[in-house]
Amino acid sequence: MKELINSLKGDKVIWAFVALLALFSFMPVFSASSNLAYMRHGSGNAITYLLKHAVHIFIGFIIIYQIHKVPYHYFRGISRIALPIIWGLLFYTLVRGTVIDGANASRWMVIPLIGISFQTSTLAAIVLYVYVARYLSKTREEKVSFQSSLIELWLPVFITLAFILPANFSTAALIFAMIIMLAFIGRYPIKYIAIIIGTGFAALALFILVVIAFPDAFKNRVDTWKNRIENFTSDKPGEDDYQIEKAKIAIATGGVYGLGPGKSVQKNFLPQSSSDFIFAIIVEEYGLLGALSILGLYLLLLFRFVIAAHKANSLFGKLVVVGLGFPIVFQAIINMAVAVELLPVTGQTLPLISSGGSSIWMTCIAIGIILSVTKKEEEIAQELEDKQKRDDALQKVIDKQLQEDEDEEVDENQDKVNQMKASIKNKIMEEDQDDYSITENPMKAVLRKK
């Protein structure tokens, strides 16, 4: 286990928050899925749904682990190659999606042979965020002209949103808002941003007029989000009002401490209790404290994304972290706001908590790319630290060698001094060696006496 944790690169705090959200998801998903188990199998046994969710989470972490090992600058080129492919997938989804069990399915695509369905708009959002980050980082040191950016930046953005908007208004609006924020952070000229926002609203108004004038042209595609907005702004009863009312009852019932894990009552009445409205079940079972804990985790994750963006050495890395990290948290806030009727029903799930394989996996792809950015910055910091250690070790070796050379020189000089002293001493001793013998000349001792 310790070796596995040590093999994880990147921001360990982001790893921890993601793991906490994923672990917490098991209890509410297991509890809320009992309604689906009862309606589909008549038994109410949600073990199958729990195991399915566990498999989705496990595959999601494999996705994070594999993607976070890829150098993040590779995604710069991948985004350009993947964008036309995404357009093809979005077009296919828009054309082929009709109605499944009475629900609009034009936002989903089923992978042939495997049979797994996923929401192409979420994958398109990831590719588009990276593409925008690439463009803004490329033009950072250049003077941006509106004409060139209109073709290279905004045309791909509007083409992508045009494929998403008819079937998924909330996702298109969220993507557009995040790209505007990304452009602002990337220091794209504000006057150009204002023009783009005005153009976006004008295009949306024109689309709505076309829908009103030709309702059969977009049958089963815009009716859902159109009715949701109408129901939210009026007192007209509808299916969404039923879901909101049950969600509000669940939240009110939860109180401060909640009814306890698995004791939700409204899960038996909420059609999307394990996905879109799982936050209401969390509040009912874990109370206000549980709700604030979940909100706090997402806000801490947002704060960590800000720190990761600040630490990134390249502008592309900063924009990638912001472009992929902020939508995760904003999507969670939108999901919570829908449960308390601050926003109309959007169909946005609670990231890493709601059941559903494709939504979990797309979130994991985004997190994997973010961790790849933080891993690169950690590697750079580690290289600088290792270089500093090598320089310090080399300096110590040099200082030691210099000290040894200096000591040897001192010793040699001392030896020379000692030899000189000894030589002088010997010479003096030879000169001072007196012979006071009187055997040859009795006056010799007197004559040599100084």
Side-chain angles (χ1 to χ4, degrees), residues 63-75 78 368-373 375-376 379:
I63 292 173
I64 295 176
Y65 182 78
Q66 293 299 329
I67 289 182
H68 99 290
K69 295 194 300 183
V70 179
Y72 76 93
H73 63 270
Y74 285 7
F75 297 104
I78 291 175
I369 297 174
I370 292 172
L371 288 172
S372 177
V373 176
K375 180 198 69 173
K376 181 61 177 178
E379 289 176 351

Side-chain angles (χ1 to χ4, degrees), residues 377-394:
E377 306 313 322
E378 282 188 356
E379 289 176 351
I380 294 175
Q382 186 64 41
E383 287 179 2
L384 292 175
E385 183 180 351
D386 293 342
K387 183 178 181 298
Q388 185 63 39
K389 289 181 179 179
R390 290 194 300 269
D391 292 343
D392 293 341
L394 180 60

Side-chain angles (χ1 to χ4, degrees), residues 1 15-16 18 25 70 82 88 98 130 150 178 180 237 239 248-249 252 266 303 327 333 390 393 396 398 410 436 449:
M1 187 65 180
W15 274 108
V18 171
S25 68
V70 179
T98 53
V130 177
L150 192 62
M178 292 296 100
I180 293 297
E239 180 183 352
K248 290 165 67 177
I249 292 173
Q266 298 306 316
F303 179 69
I333 294 175
R390 290 194 300 269
K396 288 180 179 179
I398 294 174
V410 170
Y436 297 101
K449 185 69 176 177

Side-chain angles (χ1 to χ4, degrees), residues 195-268:
I195 295 174
I196 294 300
I197 293 175
T199 304
F201 279 109
L204 178 62
L206 178 62
F207 178 75
I208 293 175
L209 291 176
V210 171
V211 170
I212 294 174
F214 305 97
D216 294 335
F218 300 94
K219 189 176 181 180
N220 296 324
R221 292 194 173 96
V222 299
D223 291 344
T224 301
W225 61 263
K226 178 183 173 184
N227 292 333
R228 285 174 174 175
I229 295 176
E230 290 178 352
N231 293 337
F232 181 75
T233 56
S234 66
D235 295 330
K236 179 182 176 181
E239 180 183 352
D240 292 334
D241 288 332
Y242 171 80
Q243 295 185 90
I244 289 294
E245 289 302 320
K246 295 302 178 184
K248 290 165 67 177
I249 292 173
I251 292 173
T253 305
V256 177
Y257 302 104
L259 301 178
K263 296 182 179 180
S264 169
V265 176
Q266 298 306 316
K267 66 183 179 183
N268 299 314

Side-chain angles (χ1 to χ4, degrees), residues 18 21-22 25 53 57 298 301 350-354 360 363-364 367:
V18 171
L21 289 170
S25 68
H53 180 69
I57 292 292
Y298 282 115
L301 189 60
L350 197 59
L352 298 171
I353 293 182
S354 295
I360 294 174
T363 302
C364 290
I367 292 173

